[in-house]
Amino acid sequence: MFPLLRVDVRTKRGGTVVSTLYGSENELLKNSNISLLIRGTEKARTFNDKGFQTVLFDGLEDTVAIESIASKYDLIINMTPGFSVGSAIAFVKGLGHRQNSTGRDVYYIHTSGTSNLADQPITNAYHESRTFVDTSPDLYSYLQRRNALTPYAQRTTDIAVISTGLASNVKTYIIMPPTIYGTGSGDFNRLTIQAPAVIRSALRTGQVMQLGEDNAVAEHVHVEDLADLYTTMANKVTKDGLQGFPSGERGIYFAATGRHTWGEFAQGIVQALGGLNAIKTVKIKKASLTEAAEMWTGGDELTQADASRKLGWQPQKTVKDFGKHFQETAKLVMESQK
C-alpha cells in the first residue's frame, strides 16, 4: 500500500483530481491508501459516505497538525491555492520526517500558477516578452529574482517549497497551470474563478467587462486535462518514483494546452450571456484598474509544457472545448444564483 494524502477537494480542480485518481487504471495507484485531508465534519461525512477515507484538520493555519499528519504519508498532492507558505512548508517538513523514519523516498506535488511569471500590462509595473519552457534550467532562479524585485505570495510559497524540500530530502514537484476552464467533476465546487467572476459581474451590471487589451494573450487548460496531469505524475511516482524526471529546482511543470486573447474571452462570455438573454447590452466595457484587480491576479504569460508532456501527459481538449465552455459556465453560474 502506497500512503497518499490529497489536500483540499473543495476546489473545482481538487474534486476533479480526486475523481481521476480513484478512476486510474494503474494498479499500484488503485491499490494505494488514499486519504483526503478535509476541513469540516459535514464535508468529511459526504466523502466518507462515498467510500473515501478522510483526515480532519482545522485549516492551513494549523501548521503543527499539518506537519504531524504529513509525516504519515509517502506522497502528498496539495491542491489548495498556493498562497499559504506556512502550510506548504509544514507539508514538506512532515514528509521529511517520514523519509527519516522509513528511509524511503517521499514526494510532494504542489499547486501553483503561471501568474508567478506574468508581466503586469494593466499597471505597467513589470513587462517582458518571453515564452517560458518547463525544461529550462533557470526557472527557480528566475522566481527568486522576480520575488526579490516584487514579492508575491504564491511565488514566495513556491520558493519555500523547493528550498525546504532540498533541505529535508523531499522530492518536490510544482505544477503551474494557467487559466483553468471547463466543468469539474467534484462533489462540491464545480466552478473555477476567472470566467465565473466575469459572468457574475455581468449579471450584476448587465454588461460584460474585458480584463485586458483586445490582443493581449493568455493561456488555458481544461480542468479534466489538468487532473490528468496530476494523475500521470502520481502514477509515475507509484510505478518508479518518477525516475529520470527532475524535482526540486528543476521540478516545475507547466500545463497550458491552448491560448486565447482577452478580446476573445470577453466575446465568448457576451455570446453566452446574450444567448441566454441575461445581459442588457452586448457592448463590452473595458475594466478599470480597480475592477480588473478584483477579478484577475495575472498578466500576460506564455509557457511551453515540454516537461509535462515528457511525463506521458496527453491532454485531450481542443479549441472547440474552450469555445463551448462559456455557455456551460454561464448556465452553471446562473443556476447557482437562483
Side-chain angles (χ1 to χ4, degrees), residues 115 174 235 251 266 278 298 324:
S115 58
I174 296 176
N235 281 339
K324 290 191 300 183

Side-chain angles (χ1 to χ4, degrees), residues 61-76:
E61 302 79 15
D62 191 1
T63 55
V64 174
I66 288 172
E67 188 170 331
S68 175
I69 292 168
S71 69
K72 299 175 175 62
Y73 294 88
D74 293 343
L75 167 63
I76 292 177

